Amino acid sequence: MQGISIVLPDSKEERGVEMILLIECVVCCVLFTAFVMRAIYKDPISLIKSYPPAIIKRVEELPQYKDTIKSREKKHAYQKLIAVFVFVIVLAAIAYFSGCRTFSTTFRHVFILFFVVNLYDFLVLDWGHFCHSKRVRIPGTEDMIKEYQNPWFHFFGACKGTVLGLMVALMAGGLIHFIAK
């Protein structure tokens, strides 16, 4: 029976690259938190499509948000599409300046960055904050505590984020593959 072994970096250079990746993960989590918290505290409706479906449905029925939701749906889709391409370029650049020059090293680097932020979002922001903070509750939905605290909604969101991370990492890897030739 074989045990699980941990592979440690062999050289100072490899340890340096891993330390850079760790620092990048922390910085990305801090930046992500700042972006999300600013948006959700300033205008929770701006992230309405990130809320559980029952909450979205309730908000759409509230007269004070009726016209706001429909106009933001199309804008939200465009913003997400643009964000994916921005993530590809920014994360590919981060990987490149971190020493990644091949598809596989870039893919690994970008996927780890994306996955760490996704996992942080799921555990800390979604489960730790969103599920329990009254500050993120949209007026008119304060009674929907069960929906806000639904762990499965956030778990499936994290799964979707992982798939998105794979796509971003593939595109970033392809970008570096063609640039670094």
Side-chain angles (χ1 to χ4, degrees), residues 25-70:
C25 287
V26 170
V27 169
C28 285
C29 286
V30 168
L31 292 173
F32 184 78
T33 301
F35 173 76
V36 169
M37 290 298 139
R38 180 179 176 271
I40 207 160
Y41 286 156
K42 183 179 178 185
D43 180 19
I45 297 296
S46 68
L47 297 175
I48 188 67
K49 291 302 176 184
S50 298
Y51 279 75
I55 294 171
I56 294 171
K57 187 174 189 266
R58 166 82 66 86
V59 170
E60 288 174 339
E61 293 169 354
L62 295 170
Q64 66 264 37
Y65 302 115
K66 189 175 182 180
D67 296 329
T68 310
I69 302 299
K70 296 294 179 195

Side-chain angles (χ1 to χ4, degrees), residues 143-170:
D143 64 317
M144 301 179 77
I145 295 167
K146 184 179 175 186
E147 287 78 8
Y148 277 102
Q149 294 180 349
N150 180 353
W152 292 108
F153 172 77
H154 301 291
F155 174 76
F156 291 125
C159 291
K160 292 176 191 175
T162 301
V163 172
L164 180 62
L166 285 169
M167 292 188 301
V168 168
L170 282 169

Side-chain angles (χ1 to χ4, degrees), residues 1-173:
M1 183 174 187
Q2 292 184 342
I4 297 174
S5 63
I6 298 173
V7 179
L8 297 174
D10 293 333
S11 68
K12 276 186 168 182
E13 184 178 312
E14 287 176 349
R15 284 191 298 273
V17 169
E18 299 302 323
M19 184 55 83
I20 289 171
L21 181 57
L22 176 66
I23 292 167
E24 289 169 352
C25 287
V26 170
V27 169
C28 285
C29 286
V30 168
L31 292 173
F32 184 78
T33 301
F35 173 76
V36 169
M37 290 298 139
R38 180 179 176 271
I40 207 160
Y41 286 156
K42 183 179 178 185
D43 180 19
I45 297 296
S46 68
L47 297 175
I48 188 67
K49 291 302 176 184
S50 298
Y51 279 75
I55 294 171
I56 294 171
K57 187 174 189 266
R58 166 82 66 86
V59 170
E60 288 174 339
E61 293 169 354
L62 295 170
Q64 66 264 37
Y65 302 115
K66 189 175 182 180
D67 296 329
T68 310
I69 302 299
K70 296 294 179 195
S71 66
R72 292 193 183 193
E73 283 181 352
K74 194 180 254 187
K75 184 179 177 184
H76 184 78
Y78 288 129
Q79 287 174 333
K80 282 207 171 187
L81 186 61
I82 291 167
V84 166
F85 289 109
V86 169
F87 280 139
V88 168
I89 293 166
V90 169
L91 293 175
I94 289 170
Y96 184 84
F97 289 115
S98 296
C100 299
R101 298 292 186 271
T102 65
F103 173 85
S104 60
T105 58
T106 303
F107 175 84
R108 177 182 166 274
H109 196 92
V110 169
F111 183 71
I112 289 171
L113 276 172
F114 204 100
F115 185 75
V116 166
V117 172
N118 188 42
L119 190 61
Y120 169 81
D121 178 40
F122 170 56
L123 295 174
V124 176
L125 298 181
D126 289 345
W127 274 10
H129 184 69
F130 184 85
C131 287
H132 305 289
S133 175
K134 292 178 180 168
R135 288 187 68 189
V136 300
R137 308 257 163 94
I138 298 171
T141 65
E142 298 91 346
D143 64 317
M144 301 179 77
I145 295 167
K146 184 179 175 186
E147 287 78 8
Y148 277 102
Q149 294 180 349
N150 180 353
W152 292 108
F153 172 77
H154 301 291
F155 174 76
F156 291 125
C159 291
K160 292 176 191 175
T162 301
V163 172
L164 180 62
L166 285 169
M167 292 188 301
V168 168
L170 282 169
M171 289 187 277

